[in-house]
Amino acid sequence: MSSAKKLIIAVALCVFALMPLAVAQQAKGVFTENQANYVGCAKEKLYAVYTFLDPTKRFDDKAFKPAVCGKGREVAPITPPKWLEGTLPAMQSHMVWELPGSAAGRPEYLSEAEMWRRAIWRVWDFLTLAENINTGTTYTQQETMELFGNIRTNYLLELDRLNTNPVVIKYNMRDSMDGRGRTIMATLELINSEMDSVAESFVASPSVWREKFRKSVIGISVLSQNIYKDFMSQTPPMMPETYKRARDNSLLIMLLTMIGMFSIFFSVYKI
């Protein structure tokens, strides 16, 4: 394990060790009904992305019918985006990370698809914990600390992998999924910042921690739904061709710049 990863884990565990509150026992009903449904819908959409990226299931078998997101109305089953059908096999065969200390006694690798699935699952896992806290699941202070600490530490490790050019092959995960990796990576980083706020809420005074916890969880839910939106979009967020400067234009601009510089030089020289 790299020194950077060790530092990340050490910092995370220090934060979790400071939690003074039996959070779950004091947070029952922290969300309104609409807020709870929104969190549940975000979870549902994350699970959809996680399932769509599963290479072991046939493309036609991945359709799902929303339950929480479609509550109170008839919703048609949602199928994976068309762009994924041709891209997923390549993502699965593209091994980009070697797992250290494999228990199998031989090198084990993470594919491009699995890298995304692992990070998304950690966010889903956190929202599940938040739901359990809201519904009053009985956790002791130590259990709450361990559950959140485990989720956060693993999430930091997954982000570290996504942000590090792997030694197996030269590849930037931001280029993944036909360019969607850039926006999704940025969203995952924002989720990480919101998890900082969750940790801070646990050490806040009793009068403010509930509101801080609520806002952080809702923020993560909003960002989770953004991941789903970016993933399902048919057009990747890439630079339009009209904004790309042609080579001839570059030479013309350079020539005009040089002419301007010479003009200024001779003007000053004559003075």
Side-chain angles (χ1 to χ4, degrees), residues 69-188:
C69 296
K71 191 174 183 179
R73 64 183 189 278
E74 187 65 26
V75 180
I78 298 174
T79 57
K82 292 297 183 182
W83 66 264
L84 186 64
E85 187 170 10
T87 305
L88 184 57
M91 291 178 64
Q92 180 58 21
S93 62
H94 190 196
M95 299 299 169
V96 294
W97 193 273
E98 182 178 351
L99 290 173
S102 171
R106 63 179 183 276
E108 289 189 274
Y109 301 93
L110 293 178
S111 69
E112 183 182 347
E114 189 60 24
M115 294 271 283
W116 291 113
R117 295 183 82 227
R118 289 166 71 104
I120 288 168
W121 182 258
R122 300 303 177 189
V123 183
W124 184 93
D125 211 11
F126 166 74
L127 291 179
T128 300
L129 174 62
E131 279 188 329
N132 290 340
I133 290 175
N134 179 63
T135 55
T137 299
T138 303
Y139 294 132
T140 65
Q141 176 181 343
Q142 183 65 26
E143 287 171 337
T144 304
M145 180 175 64
E146 289 178 355
L147 287 167
F148 181 62
N150 181 64
I151 292 169
R152 184 69 198 285
T153 301
N154 281 294
Y155 184 64
L156 288 168
L157 289 174
E158 301 306 338
L159 278 186
D160 185 56
R161 289 195 181 106
L162 287 172
N163 280 292
T164 304
N165 290 329
V167 295
V168 177
I169 187 172
K170 187 176 181 181
Y171 185 69
N172 192 324
M173 289 294 288
R174 287 173 174 77
D175 297 328
S176 181
M177 296 185 284
D178 297 334
R180 292 171 179 82
R182 294 186 178 275
T183 52
I184 293 177
M185 185 87 79
T187 304
L188 290 173

Side-chain angles (χ1 to χ4, degrees), residues 4-20:
K5 290 180 181 178
K6 291 180 180 178
L7 179 61
I8 289 172
I9 295 175
V11 171
L13 293 179
C14 286
V15 172
F16 306 140
L18 294 174
M19 296 180 189

Side-chain angles (χ1 to χ4, degrees), residues 32-47:
T32 66
E33 183 178 354
N34 286 339
Q35 289 170 340
N37 288 337
Y38 191 82
V39 174
C41 182
K43 269 187 59 183
E44 199 166 60
K45 290 181 176 179
L46 283 177
Y47 190 77

